[in-house]
């Protein structure tokens, strides 16, 4: 039998499911890997726009007289707006906006490049300074940034299409500025630029695919864990119900006698009805556990309530601060009570019984020994609820729990319950 999930986790999940009417979604707790990649990528791309603008401010003087006065402010505005928009996606933690923002950046960039052609004064840089260097139009150096953003947003086809259009246009602007012709050198340079920029798209696509794989694996793990907790909740509730039916209802019915009910019988009936009325209440949080004295007190109270024919002995050697978890002591006490009930039912009127509880810091051992009628353990199949569920089943269900039953017809019964601290 596999151990149950942490009871505190089970209680927390049950409270959430009961109050919200649904299962808690891990998406509400943490961001996905894809969202993290998109947010970080947006911040990096936005910063790249701004840094590129700052680095190239010295190149603005090369365009005096080459384009209409309105084109340079327009191109600067496009770069600043694109950078700020992408940084805003990261700062506001809204990766779902990345697709729209990346699309707007792509359109703005294409608009600025296309606007160059009517703004151009038909003068090339070679005509102006045949012997000097020939700088490129500064805006043509970043055709891939918007496409990378589109790739991070999960729009690979749009990203590739945008890169192709932007690459062809930017190289056309560069060729026009340098020689005024779209020749073979223009075609070769365009292919080279597209291939180089395509590497960025491949890297971005790989990051997105890897993040989605991580999210899929994590989602599968979360679903598996949620199913495990749900199964354990059902298992815990089933065990609680079995315990209620067997230890309380059946035990109460067996104790009934003809005639006027005794006050103790009425009190027991009220207790059973109270448990049924509060079945769906949250389990009592006993995270601090019990100390040795409280454990002994509960054992004594429970056994005394079942009758006066059972003697109780204790051997306690624990440090004062030692605590025993309710998840271990509860089933152990219930199993002890079930063993005592079986003594009263089957041992015989002349039999006697001794319950011995031995407590150490790392172990609890409870022995129930009687000199009654006894039985053959081999003849009691798993269908006998008192032993299979009430004793051995309970102890097997708790981490560190174990039990043994020794008996022979006419020679009494010895039941040993043991819990070792994991």
């Amino acid at each position: 039998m596999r151990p149950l999930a942490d009871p505190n986790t089970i209680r927390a999940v049950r409270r959430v499911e009961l109050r919200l009417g649904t299962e808690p979604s891990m998406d509400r707790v943490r961001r996905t890997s894809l969202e993290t990649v998109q947010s970080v990528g947006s911040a990096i791309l936005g910063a790249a726009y701004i840094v590129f603008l700052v680095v190239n401010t010295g190149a603005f003087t090369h365009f005096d007289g080459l384009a209409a006065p309105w084109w340079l402010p327009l191109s600067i505005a496009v770069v600043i707006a694109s950078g700020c928009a992408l940084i805003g996606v990261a700062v506001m933690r809204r990766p779902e906006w990345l697709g729209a923002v990346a699309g707007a950046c792509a359109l703005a960039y294409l608009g600025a490049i296309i606007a160059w052609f009517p703004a151009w004064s038909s003068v090339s840089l070679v005509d102006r300074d045949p012997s000097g260097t020939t700088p490129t139009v500064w805006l043509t150096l970043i055709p891939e940034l918007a496409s990378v953003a589109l790739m991070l947003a999960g729009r690979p086809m749009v990203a590739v299409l945008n890169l192709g259009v932007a690459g062809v246009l930017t190289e056309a602007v560069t060729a026009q500025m340098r020689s005024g012709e779209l020749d073979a050198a223009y075609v070769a340079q365009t292919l080279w630029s597209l291939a180089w920029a395509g590497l960025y798209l491949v890297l971005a696509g790989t990051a997105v695919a890897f993040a989605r794989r991580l999210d899929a694996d994590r989602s599968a793990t979360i679903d598996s864990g949620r199913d495990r907790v749900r199964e354990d909740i059902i298992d815990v509730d089933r065990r609680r119900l079995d315990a209620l039916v067997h230890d309380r209802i059946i035990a109460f019915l067996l104790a009934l006698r003809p005639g006027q009910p005794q006050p103790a019988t009425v009190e027991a009936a009220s207790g059973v009805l109270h448990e049924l009325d509060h079945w769906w209440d949250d389990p009592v949080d006993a995270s601090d556990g019990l100390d040795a004295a409280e454990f002994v007190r509960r054992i004594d109270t429970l056994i005394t309530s079942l009758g006066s024919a059972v003697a109780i002995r204790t051997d306690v050697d624990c440090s004062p601060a030692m605590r025993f978890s309710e998840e271990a002591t509860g089933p152990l006490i219930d199993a002890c009570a079930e063993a005592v009930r079986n003594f009263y039912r089957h041992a015989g009127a002349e039999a006697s019984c001794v319950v011995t509880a031995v407590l150490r810091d790392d172990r609890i051992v409870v022995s129930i020994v009687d000199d009654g009628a006894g039985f053959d353990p081999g003849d009691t199949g798993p269908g006998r609820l008192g032993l299979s569920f009430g004793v051995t089943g309970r102890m097997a269900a708790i981490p560190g729990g174990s039990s043994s039953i020794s008996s022979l017809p006419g020679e009494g019964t010895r039941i040993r319950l043991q819990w070792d601290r994991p």
Side-chain angles (χ1 to χ4, degrees), residues 274-317:
H274 177 78
E275 289 190 40
L276 290 173
D277 287 340
H278 296 274
W279 169 254
W280 290 112
D281 291 353
D282 290 337
V284 177
D285 189 1
S287 56
D288 292 338
L290 309 179
D291 59 14
E294 177 63 17
F295 177 83
V296 171
R297 187 193 68 79
R298 290 195 184 186
I299 283 279
D300 183 79
T301 300
L302 183 59
I303 293 176
T304 302
S305 69
L306 296 175
S308 58
V310 177
I312 304 172
R313 299 173 182 173
T314 59
D315 178 6
V316 179
D317 186 10

Side-chain angles (χ1 to χ4, degrees), residues 181-388:
E181 298 180 358
L182 302 180
D183 50 14
Y186 157 74
V187 175
Q189 182 62 35
T190 299
L191 295 176
W192 168 255
S193 297
L194 290 176
W196 180 256
L199 293 177
Y200 293 98
L201 296 192
V202 172
L203 292 176
T206 301
V208 169
F210 184 71
R212 285 176 172 167
R213 178 64 180 271
L214 286 179
D215 288 337
D217 291 343
R218 185 172 64 182
S219 178
T221 301
I222 291 172
D223 290 342
S224 176
R226 185 182 292 122
D227 291 341
R228 168 75 179 274
V229 172
R230 186 186 297 110
E231 291 173 3
D232 287 343
I233 290 174
I234 295 173
D235 196 17
V236 168
D237 285 341
R238 178 183 61 79
R239 292 175 183 275
R240 288 178 60 211
L241 181 59
D242 287 346
L244 176 62
V245 171
H246 183 266
D247 297 345
R248 302 289 286 157
I249 297 177
I250 294 179
F252 169 74
L253 294 176
L254 291 174
L256 287 177
R257 296 293 184 269
Q260 184 70 22
Q262 299 297 319
T265 303
V266 175
E267 182 179 355
S270 299
V272 172
L273 293 175
H274 177 78
E275 289 190 40
L276 290 173
D277 287 340
H278 296 274
W279 169 254
W280 290 112
D281 291 353
D282 290 337
V284 177
D285 189 1
S287 56
D288 292 338
L290 309 179
D291 59 14
E294 177 63 17
F295 177 83
V296 171
R297 187 193 68 79
R298 290 195 184 186
I299 283 279
D300 183 79
T301 300
L302 183 59
I303 293 176
T304 302
S305 69
L306 296 175
S308 58
V310 177
I312 304 172
R313 299 173 182 173
T314 59
D315 178 6
V316 179
D317 186 10
C318 299
S319 59
M322 184 55 58
R323 314 288 291 187
F324 302 96
S325 69
E326 182 74 18
E327 285 72 28
T329 57
L332 200 158
I333 293 173
D334 291 339
C336 176
E338 181 55 35
V340 173
R341 289 191 191 97
N342 272 286
F343 160 74
Y344 280 114
R345 293 170 189 162
H346 306 297
E350 302 300 323
S352 61
C353 177
V354 176
V355 174
T356 303
V358 178
L359 283 80
R360 300 293 185 264
D361 286 349
D362 59 350
R363 175 178 295 180
I364 299 177
V365 178
V366 178
S367 300
I368 305 94
V369 181
D370 68 65
D371 57 0
F375 64 96
D376 182 0
D379 292 339
T380 57
R384 181 168 178 174
L385 187 60
L387 294 177
S388 63

